[in-house]
Amino acid sequence: MDARIASLYRHPVKGFTPERLTSATLEAGACFPCDRLYAVEDGPSGFDPAAPDHISKMKFTVLAKIPSVARVRTAYDEASGVLSARAEGHPDFAGDLRAPAGRAGFEAWLAGFLGEEASGPLKVIEGPGAHRFMDSKSGFVSIVNLASVRDLSQRLGRDLDPLRFRANLYVEGWSAWAENDWTGRTLTIGGATAEVIKPIVRCAATHVDPDTGERDADLVKALFDHYGHMFCGIYLTVTDGGTVGEGDGVAVG
């Protein structure tokens, strides 16, 4: 199957706006660059920066828990550490998330936006060292097959935005759902090589329209009803680093 990378995205703050890239450099054993660097606790999560470990997404301000987070539009400047945020009816925000004042500013801004939808004090936390706030303990890069999304859309009789699935890489050219059988296989992606860890089991985050912030489709149920599984996409671990970009080929070994 001839396949290529259609688009690449990072999510600097877990749960918030995907940012499109033209290329990225993947490193062996590492997460996608600048992905899930930060997360916002919705009440104390128990995360210990001195001993970082995987934490459930439901401890954070994510779409599965608070759909209206999708109505916040964020952009992160990696060089300066400045996060910009905007939402209709609210003043714009910009602050350096590397500094206490910037984190406190975003916490206050987001608390004002979410109001009673937030269940506890909000706190911006940063992954120390190489730690990132991923949903998977072992799959550090995610890929979604656009043909699978189209097939699900056809079953439902409506177009689904692939960004509901919050992947790093979106691939064009594979047969729908072929990826579900690739656990343990090798992918060559542009200049990098990766091993498929497992299919991605989907959650209520996919129910949220990324434009409106409304829950408008039960995709978990739809996946199970139509296919007998709740998968869409695959997790990878990079085994040999390299640059990947839009239009690069993707080959299954």
Side-chain angles (χ1 to χ4, degrees):
M1 289 178 286
D2 291 329
R4 62 177 177 81
I5 299 172
S7 56
L8 304 84
Y9 288 86
R10 67 183 191 181
H11 311 76
V13 182
K14 186 176 182 68
F16 290 85
T17 305
E19 298 181 2
R20 189 166 185 172
L21 307 172
T22 56
S23 65
T25 300
L26 305 184
E27 296 183 6
C31 297
F32 192 86
C34 203
D35 197 51
R36 280 85 171 182
L37 289 173
Y38 298 93
V40 183
E41 290 181 330
D42 186 17
S45 70
F47 181 74
D48 182 358
D53 200 359
H54 182 264
I55 296 286
S56 167
K57 73 181 79 176
M58 300 307 285
K59 299 289 187 178
F60 304 117
T61 55
V62 294
L63 302 182
K65 184 178 183 181
I66 309 174
S68 61
V69 164
R71 295 192 287 112
V72 176
R73 299 291 184 261
T74 57
Y76 182 69
D77 185 293
E78 190 175 356
S80 67
V82 171
L83 179 78
S84 302
R86 58 184 175 83
E88 186 176 353
H90 295 263
D92 292 350
F93 168 81
D96 184 352
L97 294 189
R98 301 173 303 183
R103 293 193 293 273
F106 184 54
E107 291 159 7
W109 184 91
L110 187 58
F113 172 77
L114 294 178
E116 294 183 355
E117 292 184 84
S119 57
L122 302 182
K123 181 180 179 182
V124 176
I125 56 175
E126 181 178 6
H131 183 83
R132 300 291 180 265
F133 298 101
M134 313 301 292
D135 287 347
S136 171
K137 294 181 180 180
S138 57
F140 294 155
V141 176
S142 58
I143 287 188
V144 158
N145 177 1
L146 290 172
S148 299
V149 177
R150 284 195 296 272
D151 189 70
L152 179 59
S153 296
Q154 290 168 3
R155 300 288 182 105
L156 297 179
R158 56 174 295 183
D159 289 334
L160 297 173
D161 187 338
L163 293 185
R164 286 179 184 259
F165 299 96
R166 301 184 63 79
N168 299 127
L169 305 172
Y170 293 86
V171 171
E172 193 68 87
W174 289 335
S175 300
W177 310 111
E179 68 277 15
N180 288 352
D181 298 323
W182 291 347
T183 296
R185 296 184 69 175
T186 297
L187 295 186
T188 302
I189 312 164
T193 305
E195 178 185 345
V196 180
I197 299 299
K198 60 183 178 180
I200 302 173
V201 178
R202 289 303 171 177
C203 71
T206 61
H207 301 179
V208 180
D209 184 309
D211 288 326
T212 66
E214 299 292 333
R215 281 197 179 111
D216 63 353
D218 189 339
L219 297 191
V220 174
K221 183 177 185 300
L223 285 166
F224 189 79
D225 287 349
H226 288 286
Y227 307 106
H229 63 69
M230 295 180 288
F231 305 144
C232 189
I234 48 179
Y235 282 126
L236 313 175
T237 185
V238 178
T239 52
D240 292 291
T243 300
V244 299
E246 288 186 7
D248 283 356
V250 184
V252 183

